Amino acid sequence: MNTSNTSNTSAASIRLNKFISDSGFCSRREADKLIDSQRVSINGVIPELGTKVLSGDEVRVDGNLINASAENKSDRVYLAYHKPKGITCTTEHHVKGNIIDAIGHPERIFPIGRLDKPSEGLIFLTSDGDIVNKILRAENAHDKEYIVTVDRPLTERFIHAMGAGVPILDTVTKPCTVTMQSKFVFRIVLTQGLNRQIRRMCEYLGYGVTKLKRSRIMSIRLAGLKVGQWRNLTPDEMHEINSAVEGSTKTALETEQKIDANVTDRNAPQTRTKPQGRMRGRRQGISNTAPPRPGRGRKPKA
């Protein structure tokens, strides 16, 4: 069902998914899902993707009023959290051990990206849905550093292979920096975030990960945060993050233009991403190991 302001191009209007994410309710991606599921209304009318919100419009999600955010984002929350092993990076409260309940913050927040349940380390959370959308864009290529412990003694051959790129999930990982820390521990810096990337890379080369900790995102380090602790990001840290994602503006506008072109025809065939098939790369001289499990596509999760 269309709302009267779907095609409105007034300068005072704002895209519905951005209005919801800016309010701190959820990320822009999650807002799109809510809109598509018809859980959102504007002035009592069910909108569609691409709808614009005008000044004075009443936006509700599941009947709950969504308030517009402050223009200077002074009401936004930005946290650094040392996620413990066993905590799941989801906002779904019915999931036992979810990250939101683990933190217990009074504001409505959500994680920026993910960190595997068996992994620990640094992750950001925020009530600013717009910055989540920008940080997660692959082209931003933010450094993420991990300290990894494996079940076999490391070799120079393994370190070289990890750094050069490993075939997983029907692709080859980007070259990265890998350094040996001790007999069983290495440090790796990634700019990708494929599903269980480090674990899959190690598995391909015949190693099992026994411990994985994210120690740094960009220049923001885990140091000083005990397991389970969180702190507010400093103004200097936020300045770095905002500077790093500044280039996302053009991409965001291009994405919105594509949406505008598509919402005029809800009956157009939908393009779906095919699930990734079984990895077909051959092992690089490593024997006596079980074959890797098949992947199920790419997700922004280390």
Side-chain angles (χ1 to χ4, degrees), residues 30-82:
E30 291 301 318
D32 281 336
K33 294 179 182 178
L34 292 172
I35 297 166
D36 203 40
S37 300
Q38 298 188 349
R39 294 170 58 186
V40 180
S41 67
I42 301 178
N43 303 325
V45 180
I46 301 299
E48 62 182 24
L49 291 173
T51 298
K52 300 290 183 65
V53 178
L54 304 178
S55 177
D57 281 348
E58 183 182 86
V59 177
R60 292 181 180 272
V61 175
D62 295 332
N64 300 311
L65 182 65
I66 303 298
N67 295 313
S69 66
E71 290 188 10
N72 62 0
K73 295 191 176 182
S74 59
D75 55 346
R76 297 283 73 90
V77 174
Y78 306 94
L79 307 178
Y81 174 56
H82 187 161

Side-chain angles (χ1 to χ4, degrees), residues 239-259:
H239 176 73
E240 180 191 351
I241 292 174
N242 285 318
S243 297
V245 302
E246 190 173 1
S248 293
T249 303
K250 181 179 179 182
T251 304
L253 290 175
E254 289 175 348
T255 300
E256 291 188 354
Q257 289 170 356
K258 291 178 182 178
I259 292 176

Side-chain angles (χ1 to χ4, degrees), residues 256-265:
E256 291 188 354
Q257 289 170 356
K258 291 178 182 178
I259 292 176
D260 278 337
N262 291 333
V263 294
T264 56
D265 186 5

Side-chain angles (χ1 to χ4, degrees), residues 287-300:
S287 61
N288 299 322
T289 55
R293 292 188 294 272
R296 294 190 176 181
R298 306 174 188 177
K299 298 179 183 178

Side-chain angles (χ1 to χ4, degrees), residues 35-301:
I35 297 166
D36 203 40
S37 300
Q38 298 188 349
R39 294 170 58 186
V40 180
S41 67
I42 301 178
N43 303 325
V45 180
I46 301 299
E48 62 182 24
L49 291 173
T51 298
K52 300 290 183 65
V53 178
L54 304 178
S55 177
D57 281 348
E58 183 182 86
V59 177
R60 292 181 180 272
V61 175
D62 295 332
N64 300 311
L65 182 65
I66 303 298
N67 295 313
S69 66
E71 290 188 10
N72 62 0
K73 295 191 176 182
S74 59
D75 55 346
R76 297 283 73 90
V77 174
Y78 306 94
L79 307 178
Y81 174 56
H82 187 161
K83 186 190 90 68
K85 178 180 178 180
I87 295 298
T88 304
C89 292
T90 179
T91 58
E92 300 294 333
H93 288 282
H94 69 271
V95 176
K96 185 178 180 180
N98 70 79
I99 194 170
I100 304 304
D101 288 344
I103 293 177
H105 197 277
E107 298 292 331
R108 188 185 185 102
I109 56 175
F110 34 88
I112 301 177
R114 297 183 182 182
L115 194 58
D116 282 350
K117 183 177 180 179
S119 304
E120 69 170 270
L122 182 62
I123 188 169
F124 298 152
L125 296 98
T126 183
S127 59
D128 183 355
D130 191 49
I131 203 168
V132 172
N133 189 57
K134 292 178 179 179
I135 288 178
L136 293 183
R137 294 188 189 282
E139 60 267 27
N140 287 326
H142 308 305
D143 282 359
K144 295 180 289 293
E145 180 184 76
Y146 302 82
I147 301 172
V148 187
T149 305
V150 292
D151 59 355
R152 292 174 51 191
L154 296 169
T155 64
E156 289 296 334
R157 189 179 193 179
F158 171 85
I159 296 298
H160 173 76
M162 289 287 286
V166 177
I168 61 170
L169 298 173
D170 290 343
T171 188
V172 177
T173 58
K174 293 181 180 180
C176 59
T177 302
V178 184
T179 55
M180 189 183 303
Q181 301 295 295
S182 65
K183 188 176 181 179
F184 293 92
V185 180
F186 68 92
R187 189 181 302 266
I188 183 170
V189 179
L190 300 179
T191 56
Q192 282 180 295
L194 303 180
N195 180 23
R196 300 179 65 250
Q197 180 171 344
I198 296 173
R199 296 179 188 274
R200 291 180 188 274
M201 291 170 70
C202 290
E203 185 181 61
Y204 181 88
L205 297 173
Y207 285 73
V209 173
T210 60
K211 184 177 181 181
L212 193 155
K213 178 191 291 188
R214 183 191 284 159
S215 56
R216 176 174 63 84
I217 301 175
M218 292 182 274
S219 68
I220 302 168
R221 295 188 174 276
L222 185 65
L225 274 180
K226 296 180 180 179
V227 177
Q229 284 188 331
W230 60 266
R231 65 172 177 82
N232 292 303
L233 291 173
T234 67
D236 286 344
E237 290 170 338
M238 285 309 306
H239 176 73
E240 180 191 351
I241 292 174
N242 285 318
S243 297
V245 302
E246 190 173 1
S248 293
T249 303
K250 181 179 179 182
T251 304
L253 290 175
E254 289 175 348
T255 300
E256 291 188 354
Q257 289 170 356
K258 291 178 182 178
I259 292 176
D260 278 337
N262 291 333
V263 294
T264 56
D265 186 5
R266 297 286 288 181
N267 296 320
Q270 300 296 309
T271 301
R272 295 181 181 273
T273 302
K274 293 182 180 181
Q276 300 294 325
R278 178 179 292 274
M279 178 183 65
R280 300 191 182 277
R282 300 180 66 87
R283 293 178 179 267
Q284 303 173 348
I286 307 297
S287 61
N288 299 322
T289 55
R293 292 188 294 272
R296 294 190 176 181
R298 306 174 188 177
K299 298 179 183 178
K301 178 177 176 184

